[in-house]
Amino acid sequence: MEIERKWMVNGWPEGLPLKEEFAMRQGYISVRPTVRIREEALTGGKTRCVLCFKSGGGLAREEIERDIDPELFNDLETKIIGRPLIPKLRRSYLLPDGAVLEVNHVDEGQPTEFWYAEVEYPTVEAARSWQPAAVGLADYLSDEVTDQPGQSMGAYWEQTRG
């Protein structure tokens, strides 16, 4: 089960310790239900290829991820998807309360580029009660889009690649 909240943001946050950074490319085989491939290259580390299935949307949904080999990733990208994948740069920051803030810069340099941030939680109750102000991010995380239709990466895929 994936439980996360999502905000539209402008740029990287300031004053938070950087935990890790990934350069990613992702594409969609299907958006309803979500079936996605993603290449995740950890800065200074290894690259993994992932096949992901997600149910529904909003605050909580089922998510199944499996590592796949680069050959299968390439076949799915070129033979099944056949469109340019979405590039993302993701930076993860450790928050004072122990949570992790993931900030994504999507389609950098394109007219459609944008930024969003997510925080994952262990329970729905923890997600609903968590307040950005408690970790000094009230201004940065002021535009929450968790339950708004059309605010998923799958929707962005349909708008820009579909």
Side-chain angles (χ1 to χ4, degrees), residues 5-9 16 95-97 99 101 117-119 121 126-146:
R5 288 172 60 187
K6 181 177 180 177
W7 296 263
M8 303 310 292
V9 297
L16 294 175
L95 298 177
D97 64 359
L101 175 72
E118 297 173 323
V119 175
Y121 306 90
R128 292 193 195 287
S129 65
W130 190 83
Q131 295 300 316
V135 292
L137 294 175
D139 291 336
Y140 184 72
L141 299 178
S142 62
D143 184 13
E144 185 166 2
V145 296
T146 300

Side-chain angles (χ1 to χ4, degrees), residues 11-73:
W12 306 113
E14 296 179 10
L16 294 175
L18 181 63
K19 183 178 174 192
E20 58 192 2
E21 178 181 81
F22 288 90
M24 302 178 171
R25 296 183 317 122
Q26 69 184 49
Y28 291 77
I29 296 166
S30 169
V31 294
R32 285 180 206 86
T34 299
V35 181
R36 176 192 77 207
I37 59 170
R38 180 168 26 194
E39 178 183 74
E40 305 175 347
L42 177 63
T43 300
K46 68 178 190 166
T47 297
R48 69 187 275 245
C49 297
V50 180
L51 176 63
C52 178
F53 302 86
K54 292 186 179 196
S55 68
L59 180 65
R61 61 186 171 171
E62 290 298 325
E63 178 182 60
I64 301 167
E65 287 189 348
R66 295 293 182 268
D67 286 351
I68 59 175
D69 63 66
E71 182 180 353
L72 176 57
F73 181 92

